C-alpha cells in the first residue's frame, strides 16, 4: 500500500510556494460531472454503482498521461485510511463516511484527485499552493477534457452539466480559496469582513468545510452560484474578492504589530513554547497554537521555523495522520501523547531535528 | 465556560455567520462540537435548498396543488417530487426535464439565472432520449427480477446491451462527433419526451 509513503510526504499544495503564501494556503477547484446513462448516485442501486465505478476506473486507467495515478476502492479500505485521505484534502468527509461501491483516483503529487460515486458520479478536484486559481482552472479544464473524451457526461443544452443537487447545475464548478486569517479573528473584524462578502455571492466556510472559527483560523471562500456564468467569470469573482480579504488581514496584522507588538510577541511565543514542550496535546489545541505560531513566523517574530514545516504540521498532527505515521492504531489519549512528541520532533531546535 | 449541552468544559467556540438574525456564538465540548459540525456540514446545503423550496411552494401553491405536485414521478428513475423535496437531491438527468416547471423558479432563486453560459462538451455525447431509455430499462429489469419475471428481465438485459453498444463511446477521442440517433430508441421510450434543443442557447 502506497498510502504510508504519502503520509510522510507533503502535498504540493502545502508547500507554501504559490503567490501570497503567508495568508493563502491553497486554491482549489472542483467540477461535478455525471454519466448520462446512469441515475445519480443516491438513486443508483448497488449493481449500477459498481458499473459506474468500473467504467470510470477503466477510463481513468486508460489515460496514458495518468499512469502515476493511484486508484483506491474505498469500500475495501479501513477507516483510518479513509480518514487519512480526508485530512489530506484528497476527498470529502461525506465520501469517507458513506457506504457502497466508491473510489478515488489520486495524483501522487497531490495536485488533483477524482472522486467516483460521491454525490455525483465524478467529482474532479485540483489543488494549487497559494492564490493561483488560473493555474487551477487550466489544469482542471484539461483533466475534464481528457475524461469527457472518454465518457458520456449528462449535459443539457440550456442547463449545462446536470448534477444531483440543483445548487451545482450548470458549470458544476466550485472555486475555493483557503485563507489563514488569525489577525482578523484576534481583532474581531472577521465577522464584519464576511458579512460584507455575502452581498457579492461568495460563501465562507471554515477548514474542512465546517463553520468553526477555532479550527486554526482557516476560512474557505468560494462561489455560491454555478449557473448562468462562465467558468472564467466564477474564477474572476473569487479572484477579485480574495485580495480584499488579504488586505484586511494585512491591515489587522499591522495594527497588532503597531499597537501591541509585545503582547502579540508574548502570545505567539507562549504558543510556540507549549507546542515545543507539552507532553500531551489535543488536535484542536494544536490547531489553535499552530495558527499563532504560523502568524508569528509570517511576521518575523519567530525566525527559526520554515513556513512549509508549519503548514505540514497542521495536516500531519491530525488523528489519522499520526496513526499512519506511527504505523498503528492509537486511542485518543495515546494520540495526544504521540502528537506532542511529533510536534517536539519537528519544532524543537528550530524545526531541524528529526525532520524526514 | 461549560459546554451548552453537557457539563464538560467548552473547548469549541463556534460563530455562526449565516444566521439571518446576525452572528450567533455556540460553546461546546469536543464531543458535542463534532456532532454539531458534522450535522451542519452534511445538512446545510440541503436545508438551505429545502427552505427555498418550501418558501417558493407555499407562495405559489395551495395545499391541494402541493399534494398533487408531490406525487409527480419521473418516468425514468422513478423519483417522486416529494422524495426530491425531502432529500434535496434529484434522481437522474431527466428530472430536470420532467420537473422543469417546478425547478425553474428554484434555479432562478438559487443562481439568479436559468441558462448555462459556461463550457460545453466538445463532442456530442449521444441522444439524451436513448440515454434516459437505458436508465429506465435498467429499472424495469430490476422490477422484473423482483417479480421473478426472469424472461422479461432477460429480454430487457439484451435490449439494454444493444442500446449501450449502439453508441460509439469515444473510441477515437479526436473525432468531433459521435453519430448516434437511434430512432428505435426514441420510439420505445414511452413517457420520455425528447428534450428541447435549440431555444435560448448562448455562447
Amino acid at each position: 500500500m502506497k498510502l504510508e509513503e504519502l503520509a510522510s510526504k507533503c502535498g504540493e499544495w502545502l508547500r507554501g510556494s504559490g503567490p501570497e503564501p503567508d495568508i493563502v494556503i491553497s486554491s482549489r477547484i472542483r467540477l461535478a460531472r455525471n454519466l448520462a446513462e446512469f441515475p445519480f448516485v443516491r438513486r443508483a442501486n448497488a449493481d449500477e454503482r459498481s458499473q459506474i465505478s468500473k467504467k470510470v476506473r477503466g477510463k481513468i486507467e486508460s489515460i496514458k498521461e495518468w499512469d502515476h495515478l493511484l486508484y483506491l476502492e474505498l469500500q475495501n479500505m479501513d477507516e483510518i485510511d479513509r480518514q487519512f485521505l480526508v485530512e489530506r484534502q484528497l476527498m470529502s468527509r461525506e465520501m469517507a463516511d458513506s457506504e457502497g461501491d466508491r473510489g478515488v483516483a489520486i495524483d501522487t503529487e497531490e495536485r488533483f484527485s477524482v472522486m467516483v460515486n460521491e454525490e455525483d458520479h465524478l467529482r474532479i478536484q485540483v489543488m494549487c499552493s497559494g492564490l493561483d486559481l488560473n493555474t487551477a482552472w487550466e489544469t482542471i479544464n484539461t483533466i475534464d477534457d481528457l475524461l469527457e473524451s472518454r465518457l458520456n457526461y449528462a449535459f443539457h443544452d440550456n442547463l449545462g452539466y446536470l448534477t444531483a443537487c440543483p445548487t451545482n447545475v450548470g458549470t458544476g464548478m466550485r472555486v475555493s480559496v483557503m485563507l489563514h486569517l488569525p489577525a482578523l479573528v484576534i481583532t474581531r473584524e472577521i465577522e464584519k469582513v464576511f458579512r460584507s462578502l455575502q452581498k457579492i455571492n461568495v460563501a465562507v466556510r471554515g477548514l474542512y468545510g465546517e463553520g468553526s472559527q477555532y479550527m486554526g483560523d482557516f476560512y474557505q471562500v468560494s462561489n455560491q452560484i454555478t449557473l448562468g456564468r462562465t467558468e472564467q467569470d466564477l474564477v474572476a469573482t473569487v479572484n477579485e474578492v480574495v485580495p480584499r480579504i488579504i488586505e484586511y488581514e494585512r491591515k489587522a496584522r499591522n495594527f497588532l504589530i503597531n499597537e501591541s507588538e509585545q503582547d502579540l510577541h508574548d502570545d505567539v511565543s507562549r504558543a510556540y513554547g507549549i507546542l515545543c514542550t507539552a507532553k500531551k496535546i489535543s488536535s484542536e489545541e494544536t490547531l489553535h497554537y499552530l495558527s499563532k505560531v504560523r502568524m508569528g513566523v509570517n511576521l518575523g517574530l519567530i525566525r527559526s521555523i520554515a513556513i512549509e514545516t508549519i503548514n505540514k504540521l497542521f495536516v500531519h498532527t491530525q488523528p489519522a495522520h499520526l496513526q499512519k505515521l506511527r504505523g498503528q492504531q492509537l486511542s485518543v489519549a495515546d494520540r495526544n501523547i504521540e502528537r506532542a512528541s511529533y510536534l517536539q520532533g519537528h519544532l524543537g531546535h528550530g524545526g531541524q531535528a528529526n525532520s524526514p | 465556560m461549560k459546554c451548552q449541552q453537557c457539563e464538560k468544559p467548552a473547548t469549541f467556540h463556534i460563530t455562526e455567520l449565516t444566521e439571518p438574525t446576525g452572528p450567533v456564538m455556540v460553546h461546546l465540548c469536543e464531543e458535542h462540537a463534532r456532532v454539531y459540525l458534522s450535522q451542519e456540514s452534511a445538512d446545510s446545503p440541503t436545508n438551505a435548498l429545502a427552505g427555498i423550496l418550501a418558501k417558493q411552494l407555499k407562495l405559489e401553491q395551495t395545499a391541494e396543488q402541493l399534494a398533487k405536485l408531490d406525487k409527480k414521478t419521473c418516468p425514468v428513475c422513478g423519483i417522486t417530487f416529494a422524495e426530491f423535496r425531502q432529500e434535496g437531491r434529484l434522481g437522474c438527468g431527466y428530472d430536470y426535464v420532467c420537473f422543469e416547471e417546478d425547478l425553474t423558479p428554484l434555479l432562478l432563486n438559487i443562481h439568479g439565472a436559468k441558462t448555462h453560459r459556461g463550457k460545453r462538451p466538445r463532442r456530442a455525447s449521444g441522444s439524451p432520449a436513448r440515454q434516459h431509455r437505458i436508465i429506465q430499462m435498467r429499472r424495469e429489469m430490476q422490477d422484473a427480477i423482483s417479480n421473478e419475471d426472469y424472461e422479461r428481465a432477460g429480454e430487457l438485459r439484451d435490449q439494454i446491451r444493444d442500446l449501450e453498444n449502439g453508441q460509439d463511446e469515444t473510441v477515437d477521442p479526436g473525432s468531433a462527433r459521435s453519430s448516434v440517433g437511434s430512432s428505435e430508441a426514441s420510439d420505445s421510450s414511452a413517457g420520455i419526451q425528447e428534450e428541447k434543443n435549440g431555444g435560448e442557447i448562448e455562447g
Side-chain angles (χ1 to χ4, degrees):
Chain A
M1 185 67 136
K2 287 189 188 164
L3 277 191
E4 276 69 23
E5 270 172 56
L6 213 59
S8 59
K9 285 197 334 186
C10 170
E12 198 53 43
W13 59 277
L14 262 180
R15 287 190 191 282
S17 53
E20 316 282 3
D22 55 334
I23 295 175
V24 182
I25 306 284
S26 62
S27 301
R28 192 149 55 128
I29 299 186
R30 75 114 165 95
L31 294 175
R33 299 288 188 253
N34 285 283
L35 304 185
E37 283 150 34
F38 290 91
F40 295 145
V41 177
R42 279 222 208 169
R43 196 78 196 165
N45 61 34
D47 183 45
E48 285 166 325
R49 280 180 75 130
S50 98
Q51 283 186 53
I52 295 161
S53 344
K54 220 166 118 189
K55 188 173 194 128
V56 177
R57 178 175 187 168
K59 297 295 177 186
I60 286 176
E61 288 179 339
S62 76
I63 298 175
K64 276 199 277 323
E65 295 92 318
W66 288 1
D67 55 1
H68 58 287
L69 242 62
L70 192 58
Y71 192 99
L72 304 164
E73 305 262 1
L74 295 175
Q75 67 275 17
N76 302 329
M77 283 171 77
D78 62 40
E79 206 189 319
I80 293 181
D81 287 345
R82 297 202 304 260
Q83 183 62 31
F84 168 80
L85 294 169
V86 176
E87 290 172 4
R88 205 70 172 197
Q89 310 255 334
L90 289 166
M91 69 178 198
S92 64
R93 193 174 297 275
E94 289 74 24
M95 187 85 182
D97 295 344
S98 72
E99 279 169 16
D101 217 312
R102 64 203 193 284
V104 59
I106 57 179
D107 164 44
T108 44
E109 301 293 313
E110 297 174 59
R111 281 170 304 215
F112 71 93
S113 66
V114 182
M115 289 180 255
V116 181
N117 278 337
E118 208 246 26
E119 178 182 306
D120 294 296
H121 298 151
L122 288 102
R123 285 278 177 104
I124 312 163
Q125 68 155 3
V126 164
M127 286 163 294
C128 291
S129 174
L131 181 59
D132 196 4
L133 287 172
N134 295 329
T135 304
W137 164 243
E138 278 163 32
T139 312
I140 205 163
N141 194 22
T142 310
I143 292 172
D144 185 45
D145 286 346
L146 278 171
L147 288 167
E148 183 233 295
S149 65
R150 290 163 174 84
L151 294 163
N152 281 334
Y153 283 161
F155 184 86
H156 184 284
D157 261 337
N158 290 332
L159 292 173
Y161 295 94
L162 302 179
T163 52
C165 186
T167 53
N168 295 318
V169 76
T171 55
M173 181 159 96
R174 194 76 62 205
V175 179
S176 58
V177 173
M178 203 205 289
L179 298 151
H180 184 227
L181 306 173
L184 285 174
V185 173
I186 295 173
T187 56
R188 300 179 184 269
E189 292 283 307
I190 192 102
E191 283 163 23
K192 218 188 326 175
V193 170
F194 287 146
R195 234 175 298 148
S196 75
L197 292 184
Q198 301 217 325
K199 293 179 193 131
I200 42 178
N201 277 332
V202 182
V204 178
R205 308 159 89 192
L207 179 67
Y208 299 122
E210 295 131 352
S212 152
Q213 91 169 23
Y214 226 33
M215 301 294 266
D217 306 316
F218 289 110
Y219 292 86
Q220 272 183 51
V221 171
S222 56
N223 62 307
Q224 229 160 9
I225 63 165
T226 56
L227 180 66
R229 311 272 301 274
T230 65
E231 288 81 358
Q232 289 84 351
D233 278 347
L234 294 174
V235 167
T237 310
V238 178
N239 255 339
E240 275 160 32
V241 171
V242 171
R244 281 163 52 196
I245 305 175
I246 294 174
E247 202 189 310
Y248 286 130
E249 170 67 17
R250 292 240 164 86
K251 273 191 191 150
R253 289 182 185 188
N254 285 337
F255 173 85
L256 289 173
I257 288 281
N258 292 336
E259 298 297 313
S260 52
E261 176 165 359
Q262 207 169 33
D263 288 347
L264 186 68
H265 205 153
D266 178 63
D267 195 31
V268 162
S269 304
R270 281 167 182 271
Y272 186 34
I274 290 172
L275 293 176
C276 287
T277 54
K279 295 297 166 220
K280 45 189 186 176
I281 189 164
S282 72
S283 160
E284 61 268 26
E285 212 183 342
T286 305
L287 286 175
H288 180 59
Y289 292 127
L290 274 176
S291 171
K292 289 178 188 290
V293 171
R294 188 175 193 279
M295 177 168 60
V297 172
N298 280 326
L299 291 174
L301 301 173
I302 299 175
R303 297 184 185 278
S304 51
I305 317 163
I307 202 70
E308 185 182 342
T309 307
I310 300 288
N311 284 352
K312 197 170 96 171
L313 287 175
F314 277 107
V315 176
H316 284 202
T317 55
Q318 295 283 317
H321 268 79
L322 283 177
Q323 296 175 76
K324 290 304 282 182
L325 289 165
R326 182 62 193 265
Q328 69 184 77
Q329 256 190 314
L330 299 167
S331 67
V332 175
D334 287 341
R335 285 206 296 271
N336 290 347
I337 296 168
E338 179 69 19
R339 185 175 293 114
S341 121
Y342 188 83
L343 283 164
Q344 269 146 60
H346 288 78
L347 288 175
H349 312 288
Q352 301 306 309
N354 302 340
S355 55
Chain B
M1 188 184 291
K2 274 185 194 166
C3 169
Q4 291 172 347
Q5 294 182 14
C6 70
E7 290 297 300
K8 282 189 228 159
T11 48
F12 277 67
H13 309 275
I14 300 163
T15 310
E16 284 297 342
L17 300 173
T18 51
E19 292 297 316
T21 48
V24 175
M25 287 282 278
V26 189
H27 309 278
L28 299 167
C29 68
E30 184 178 355
E31 189 187 326
H32 283 110
R34 225 169 270 291
V35 175
Y36 180 85
L37 292 172
S38 63
Q39 258 173 8
E40 190 188 27
S41 61
D43 291 351
S44 55
T46 321
N47 274 347
L49 192 69
I52 295 173
L53 201 56
K55 214 163 83 191
Q56 176 190 313
L57 292 173
K58 233 181 264 165
L59 284 175
E60 291 170 10
Q61 263 123 335
T62 63
E64 210 175 305
Q65 283 171 313
L66 231 147
K68 204 177 146 203
L69 171 61
D70 268 353
K71 289 208 187 87
K72 213 184 223 185
T73 305
C74 170
V76 173
C77 70
I79 200 172
T80 61
F81 198 76
E83 285 172 289
F84 163 62
R85 275 207 309 141
Q86 278 150 22
E87 296 185 18
R89 299 292 181 278
L90 294 162
C92 73
Y94 189 70
D95 294 353
Y96 283 97
V97 178
C98 74
F99 299 139
E100 186 190 359
E101 234 182 286
D102 316 289
L103 283 176
T104 304
L106 181 71
L107 293 177
L108 282 170
N109 220 323
I110 299 169
H111 302 281
K114 55 172 185 171
T115 310
H116 176 58
R117 287 170 194 270
K119 182 175 179 176
R120 313 183 81 84
R122 288 201 183 160
R123 58 190 188 92
S125 57
S127 144
R130 202 202 80 243
Q131 294 159 347
H132 296 145
R133 182 67 189 140
I134 293 176
I135 299 176
Q136 192 179 35
M137 283 166 68
R138 279 205 208 93
R139 193 163 62 88
E140 286 167 9
M141 183 174 79
Q142 271 308 314
D143 290 346
I145 293 170
S146 319
N147 296 333
E148 298 183 14
D149 186 352
Y150 298 112
E151 196 180 329
R152 174 79 187 128
E155 277 168 30
L156 282 161
R157 188 196 54 218
D158 295 343
Q159 286 174 23
I160 293 167
R161 195 187 301 143
D162 289 349
L163 271 178
E164 282 176 334
N165 294 339
Q167 87 184 102
D168 49 44
E169 191 187 83
T170 77
V171 196
D172 173 14
S175 76
R177 292 183 67 88
S178 57
S179 54
V180 188
S182 159
S183 61
E184 163 214 5
S186 34
D187 286 348
S188 57
S189 57
I192 311 178
Q193 323 143 8
E194 186 68 65
E195 277 164 58
K196 277 176 264 166
N197 280 323
E200 36 168 336
I201 306 170
E202 303 179 46

